């Protein structure tokens, strides 16, 4: 059996707006959208995220995203206007990381090994 990285599905109030936010603020590309299913996706390299429309209260999640260069990724996301909660720093658990929050409260820890 071969397993690849998981693809999260995030609940959002509006799929198109979520796709545009991730494109404009986080550097993703809009991959596809299906109006009938109220579902769509964005992608950045090997990373994909699905969005599904919901009227329910959204419970934010936490995601760890590997990047080859934390500092370059941080600079790019700052340039795009992402909501960076904590800039790059070395952690005692052996990672260099920074934290971004999306428009729905989801947290993304961008990291690489020290």
């Amino acid at each position: 059996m071969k397993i690849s990285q998981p693809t999260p599905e995030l609940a959002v109030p509006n799929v198109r707006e979520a796709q545009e936010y991730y494109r404009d603020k986080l550097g993703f590309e809009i991959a596809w959208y299906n109006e009938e299913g109220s579902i769509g996706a964005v992608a950045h390299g090997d990373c994909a995220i699905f969005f599904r429309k919901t009227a329910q209260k959204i419970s934010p999640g936490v995601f760890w995203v590997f990047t080859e260069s934390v500092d370059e990724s941080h600079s790019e996301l700052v340039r795009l206007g992402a909501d960076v909660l904590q800039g790059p720093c070395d952690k005692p658990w052996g990672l260099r990381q920074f934290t971004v929050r999306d428009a729905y409260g989801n947290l993304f820890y961008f990291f690489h090994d020290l």
Side-chain angles (χ1 to χ4, degrees):
M1 173 171 68
K2 181 180 177 186
I3 296 176
S4 188
Q5 65 187 25
T7 301
E9 179 181 291
L10 304 180
V12 295
N14 183 300
V15 173
R16 283 295 203 195
E17 287 178 7
Q19 288 178 307
E20 291 167 3
Y21 178 88
Y22 274 66
R23 179 194 62 207
D24 298 344
K25 300 294 184 186
L26 299 176
F28 282 75
E29 295 180 6
I30 295 174
W32 55 269
Y33 174 72
N34 179 279
E35 188 171 343
E36 182 180 337
S38 297
I39 188 170
V42 293
H44 192 295
D46 291 336
C47 180
I49 299 173
F50 289 7
F51 302 110
R52 187 178 302 269
K53 182 179 179 178
T54 184
Q56 306 288 327
K57 181 180 180 216
I58 296 172
S59 296
V62 175
F63 305 90
W64 289 83
V65 181
F66 175 80
T67 180
E68 290 184 8
S69 174
V70 163
D71 296 295
E72 288 178 20
S73 296
H74 174 261
S75 293
E76 177 66 12
L77 293 180
V78 166
R79 184 186 70 74
L80 291 171
D83 183 12
V84 177
L85 299 181
Q86 182 182 45
C89 58
D90 296 343
K91 298 295 187 176
W93 45 87
L95 299 178
R96 182 160 180 78
Q97 67 185 66
F98 69 96
T99 308
V100 172
R101 179 177 49 206
D102 75 4
Y104 311 100
N106 297 296
L107 295 179
F108 290 83
Y109 296 106
F110 288 83
F111 75 95
H112 67 235
D113 296 325
L114 289 172

